[in-house]
Amino acid sequence: MDPIDWGIGVAIASGSIGSIVMATLILRAALARWVKPSRNAPSHQLEEMRAGLNRLTDEVAELHERLDFAERVLARQRDLARLREQA
């Protein structure tokens, strides 16, 4: 594999993973800032927060699956391009 391809792959993967991690941290911080639970918070409030956090977790998992798919598609295109060049 060409070193440039490795560099591009690493840059895409690290940038994407970094973006997902940063988005998760920002969303968690925003949620914690907007909704500050107290020890005496009503249970419905806590359930709403848990549901919101679960939705965010699901969205991050979906983004991760999409990233994996995109990386596979890009790798396949690079492989096909190399095969065409060699032919």
Side-chain angles (χ1 to χ4, degrees):
M1 230 178 146
D2 188 25
I4 293 175
D5 289 340
W6 275 101
I8 291 171
V10 168
I12 290 172
S14 62
S16 299
I17 292 170
S19 298
I20 291 171
V21 169
M22 288 301 295
T24 303
L25 293 174
I26 290 170
L27 289 172
R28 282 188 182 179
L31 184 63
R33 182 176 178 181
W34 291 328
V35 182
K36 294 181 182 179
S38 66
R39 296 229 182 251
N40 300 325
S43 62
H44 73 276
Q45 215 177 20
L46 293 176
E47 287 304 316
E48 287 176 11
M49 288 177 56
R50 285 187 184 114
L53 187 57
N54 286 337
R55 280 192 305 272
L56 290 175
T57 303
D58 292 342
E59 289 177 18
V60 169
E62 183 179 337
L63 286 172
H64 183 68
E65 289 176 13
R66 289 180 180 190
L67 171 64
D68 287 343
F69 176 76
E71 287 175 343
R72 286 193 305 269
V73 169
L74 289 173
R76 186 180 315 139
Q77 287 176 348
R78 281 193 306 259
D79 291 344
L80 289 174
R82 282 195 201 115
L83 288 174
R84 286 184 192 128
E85 288 174 4
Q86 293 174 358

